[in-house]
Amino acid sequence: MASYSLGLLGSLAFALRALAAGPYPVRVGPDHRHLIDQNGTPFLVQGDAPWSIICGLTREEEEQYLENRRQKGFNSIIVNLIEHKFHGPVDRYGEGPFTTPGDFTTPNEKFFSHADWVIRKAAEKGIQVFLAPIYLGYIRTDEGWVEEAMANGPEKCRTWGRYLGKRYRDFDNIVWVMGGDRNPDKAREDVDAVAAGIKEFDTRHLFTAHCHPENSAVDQYKDDGWLDLNTTYTYGIVHRMLTADYDRTPSMPFVLIETTYEGEHNASAVQIRRQAYWALLCGATGQFMGNRPIWLFDPGWQAAIDGTGSQDMVRLKTLFTSRPWYALVPDEKHEVVVDGIGEFRGLDYLTAARTSDGGTIIAYMPNARTFTVDLSKVAGREAQGWWYNPRTGKSETAGKFPTGAKQKFTPPAEGDWVLVLDDASRKLPAPK
């Protein structure tokens, strides 16, 4: 009886510690398709890209930004730990990252104390930081640290990594992001040395990478021994690259880490929405949206944090978390939506996914049109349909249908729409 009580108390203590620890750090799930939190719950990355927050803002401004993202349900941000250009290398308090400029072995405690504050403040608000320790910079620019990395060499780069591993190993809310806007090329040995140095002291956090556009992380780092999470980065036909990353073997969880930013390249509101919906319906474990001026915190960023894109991302997350999003399998072979799919090489492509048990189908179309669904792919005898408006977050019934045949569906109005089909016997509420 005594040993039973001690065992029970030990189990309770473990459970209490797990609850106290919160969701972070995230891990790779057993299906190698998704991230999971510390409780084993699938983790949907809902990300934003405030790259310059550490150098670009004061603490009061950082608090304003982070609280806004907390209220909107963002749980991840991608951030430069040290800035080479843009708002750096000196932060708003006049501190640079190194006491000897460009020497990775001379970290400035005052600079990193402020960086610590930002990361801890994000943790208070339930936000994890995808942290870039050695942003390399876009090719043929002076935006990043690629020249300094090669000038320091592998030994100093590894020392830099050790410093980071020691400093941040006990911060729960970190995912390491190697590289940044370019492939490693001649700096590969130096980038790997930073990663190796971190891993000497930090074995808790996942590693991923941000490469040159049209390169996924596994294209550049699959053999380097530290990559845990793949990333999709493209300004092309987004769903095509997402599908290619989903189809890789062996499978690895991936996120859409960067594509068209709101406020740049004449991006329409539907473009920001469709690339996010494509990501989740093509099998990603989450996605990041970007915004200009937010990523650089240029004038106007305070107004931009409440822009259309962030409001639409609130609706996206609410919709997907109303259903078992982690069980969705992309409809690559068009066995669920069999007609009206659109052009695979185009921007009107209809993406769909079905949960593995047939309980739910979700289909997103960037442009309204009639399309056909094979309802035999829905479990149960009857399918309950819903039209979800991604521009407003409102839903309306699309009707109930027997599940034995094909059925045509036409959205109630123009614009982009989501069709949700559920096994009616499960009595799931309207998506909202």
Side-chain angles (χ1 to χ4, degrees):
M1 185 70 174
S3 65
Y4 173 82
S5 298
L6 287 172
L8 179 60
L9 287 172
S11 297
L12 288 172
F14 177 83
L16 288 171
R17 286 196 300 272
L19 288 172
Y24 304 123
V26 294
R27 300 171 287 158
V28 174
D31 64 354
H32 296 280
R33 290 289 187 191
H34 302 96
L35 299 180
I36 58 174
D37 66 17
Q38 286 294 303
N39 298 310
T41 303
F43 187 89
L44 178 64
V45 173
Q46 177 82 335
D48 194 21
W51 287 90
S52 295
I53 187 172
I54 289 175
C55 276
L57 300 184
T58 65
R59 289 189 178 188
E60 292 76 16
E61 291 167 334
E62 288 156 349
E63 169 85 40
Q64 178 188 1
Y65 167 82
L66 290 168
E67 176 59 19
N68 181 281
R69 275 4 195 186
R70 182 197 69 79
Q71 292 181 12
K72 288 183 169 66
F74 286 86
N75 56 32
S76 302
I77 55 175
I78 186 167
V79 173
N80 273 332
L81 177 59
I82 55 175
E83 289 255 277
H84 188 265
K85 193 179 179 180
F86 306 125
H87 283 286
V90 175
D91 67 20
R92 288 284 291 278
Y93 298 99
E95 301 294 339
F98 307 112
T99 56
T100 300
D103 185 340
F104 291 175
T105 64
T106 63
N108 176 6
E109 176 60 29
K110 290 182 179 179
F111 178 93
F112 289 101
S113 291
H114 174 65
D116 297 351
W117 186 91
V118 176
I119 298 167
R120 288 193 176 104
K121 183 59 64 173
E124 288 176 17
K125 298 180 184 298
I127 297 171
Q128 70 178 339
V129 179
F130 279 63
L131 192 62
I134 185 172
Y135 174 76
L136 295 178
Y138 205 87
I139 57 173
R140 293 184 293 275
T141 74
D142 61 349
E143 294 175 356
W145 296 91
V146 63
E147 296 297 332
E148 286 82 354
M150 291 189 291
N152 275 267
E155 184 176 347
K156 282 191 172 183
C157 284
R158 190 165 188 134
T159 298
W160 168 233
R162 290 178 180 132
Y163 172 81
L164 298 176
K166 289 178 184 177
R167 188 173 194 108
Y168 292 111
R169 60 187 169 190
D170 294 327
F171 285 62
D172 291 334
N173 62 320
I174 286 176
V175 173
W176 294 107
V177 181
M178 305 308 296
D181 270 324
R182 69 185 294 151
N183 300 333
D185 299 325
K186 294 180 181 179
R188 176 178 298 278
E189 190 177 359
D190 310 298
V191 173
D192 283 345
V194 175
I198 293 172
K199 288 179 73 69
E200 281 187 41
F201 296 93
D202 177 9
T203 58
R204 304 176 66 229
H205 299 113
L206 298 182
F207 280 72
T208 188
H210 187 269
C211 302
H212 188 69
E214 316 313 321
N215 288 260
S216 299
V218 295
D219 293 325
Q220 296 298 321
Y221 294 107
K222 66 179 179 179
D223 297 323
D224 291 44
W226 47 259
L227 186 69
D228 304 300
L229 173 68
N230 191 20
T231 56
T232 305
Y233 181 9
T234 178
Y235 295 112
I237 305 301
V238 178
H239 56 80
R240 295 183 68 187
M241 191 164 174
L242 289 163
T243 298
D245 280 333
Y246 180 82
D247 287 341
R248 292 179 186 270
T249 54
S251 59
M252 178 181 285
F254 68 100
V255 294
L256 177 60
I257 199 166
E258 187 164 332
T259 183
T260 301
Y261 276 25
E262 183 181 34
E264 288 191 323
H265 311 299
N266 298 314
S268 63
V270 71
Q271 173 65 17
I272 304 304
R273 286 194 297 272
R274 66 186 162 203
Q275 57 200 24
Y277 280 88
W278 282 337
L280 301 191
L281 292 173
C282 289
T285 192
Q287 55 84 37
F288 287 82
M289 73 160 281
N291 172 280
R292 180 72 181 267
I294 289 174
W295 74 274
L296 287 176
F297 292 100
D298 285 335
W301 70 265
Q302 284 103 334
I305 59 177
D306 291 320
T308 300
S310 65
Q311 301 289 346
D312 286 340
M313 295 306 102
V314 174
R315 293 185 269 270
L316 171 101
K317 185 179 180 183
T318 301
L319 168 63
F320 278 89
T321 54
S322 76
R323 299 296 188 271
W325 65 271
Y326 46 86
L328 289 168
V329 178
D331 182 31
E332 286 188 61
K333 296 181 179 180
H334 311 306
E335 297 172 335
V336 176
V337 178
V338 297
D339 184 56
I341 295 161
E343 173 55 54
F344 183 65
R345 295 179 177 85
L347 298 176
D348 68 334
Y349 184 65
L350 185 155
T351 48
R354 169 186 178 272
T355 58
S356 52
D357 66 355
T360 294
I361 290 168
I362 300 178
Y364 171 80
M365 72 206 77
N367 298 300
R369 58 180 176 272
T370 299
F371 61 99
T372 305
V373 178
D374 182 354
L375 292 181
S376 70
K377 303 302 182 183
V378 181
R381 295 182 178 181
E382 194 172 43
Q384 170 66 63
W386 307 96
W387 288 114
Y388 180 82
N389 186 333
R391 304 173 300 283
T392 66
K394 295 181 179 179
S395 60
E396 57 186 272
T397 183
K400 288 187 176 182
F401 309 91
T403 57
K406 297 175 182 177
Q407 176 70 41
K408 291 185 180 295
F409 291 90
T410 304
E414 294 300 311
D416 55 332
W417 287 90
V418 181
L419 176 69
V420 179
L421 292 164
D422 297 314
D423 173 359
S425 68
R426 304 187 188 193
K427 303 185 186 302
L428 294 174
K432 60 180 180 178

